[in-house]
Amino acid sequence: MKKLVVLSLIILAGCYYDNEEELYPNQNTGCDTSNVTFAGTVLPVIDANCKTCHSGGFPQGNVRLEDYASISAAGKIPAGQYGSLYGVISHASGNSPMPKSGNKLPDCTIKQIKAWIDAGTPNN
Ligand code: HEC
């Protein structure tokens, strides 16, 4: 029984790794911006890279990014204006570069989030 538990944990870890590969495809595999969704693409990126600082009662910079409503609102703010989701991840002038004190998101991830914004930030 114990062996089975360990084995399934290893399998689960393997699946999780596969998901990360899908979220951050490298340049060799190309960048697919045609199947971008809020739940499948945008939210996992925000949860993994932004949520720790931008959720709860006192989000940093007074910017909440924790659900569709708040992330969609930030997505609709043009680059260069305070609170712009695209402005901060693309390091546009006028915006504070995010993730703060972290690496810039992969180019493909930025393109995918832009595709979601350009599509009108659908709740899909
Ligand atoms: C380590 C904490 C931390 C992380 C991680 C982080 N932020 Fe921030 N964020 C801040 C702080 C602090 C501010 C206030 C402005 C400043 O200090 O630069 C801020 C400000 C902002 C602003 C408003 C500033 C502007 O120029 O528009 C936005 C939008 C934002 N963050 C989005 C994000 C996004 C999107 C991510 C993830 C990709 C992210 N943040 C990750 C701490 C963080």
Side-chain angles (χ1 to χ4, degrees):
M1 186 57 189
K2 222 175 189 176
K3 268 189 186 152
L4 200 69
V5 172
V6 170
L7 191 68
S8 37
L9 280 178
I10 291 168
I11 292 167
L12 280 176
C15 292
Y16 186 73
Y17 184 72
D18 287 345
N19 276 337
E20 292 251 312
E21 293 268 276
E22 275 175 39
L23 285 174
Y24 307 115
N26 62 40
Q27 306 229 298
N28 299 332
T29 59
C31 181
D32 185 5
T33 56
S34 59
N35 292 310
V36 171
T37 62
F38 174 71
T41 319
V42 179
L43 187 61
V45 171
I46 303 291
D47 279 353
N49 297 284
C50 322
K51 201 179 173 183
T52 46
C53 298
H54 290 289
S55 60
F58 302 97
Q60 302 201 23
N62 206 20
V63 173
R64 262 185 73 238
L65 297 169
E66 54 183 0
D67 49 21
Y68 172 73
S70 54
I71 297 166
S72 166
K76 291 196 157 89
I77 299 172
Q81 287 181 30
Y82 190 86
S84 167
L85 175 60
Y86 183 66
V88 297
I89 62 170
S90 66
H91 296 188
S93 76
N95 285 111
S96 184
M98 296 287 148
K100 186 146 190 103
S101 334
N103 290 327
K104 195 178 181 187
L105 296 176
D107 283 351
C108 184
T109 304
I110 296 171
K111 281 187 190 140
Q112 289 173 326
I113 291 178
K114 184 169 192 301
W116 175 73
I117 291 170
D118 289 347
T121 72
N123 189 0
N124 55 6

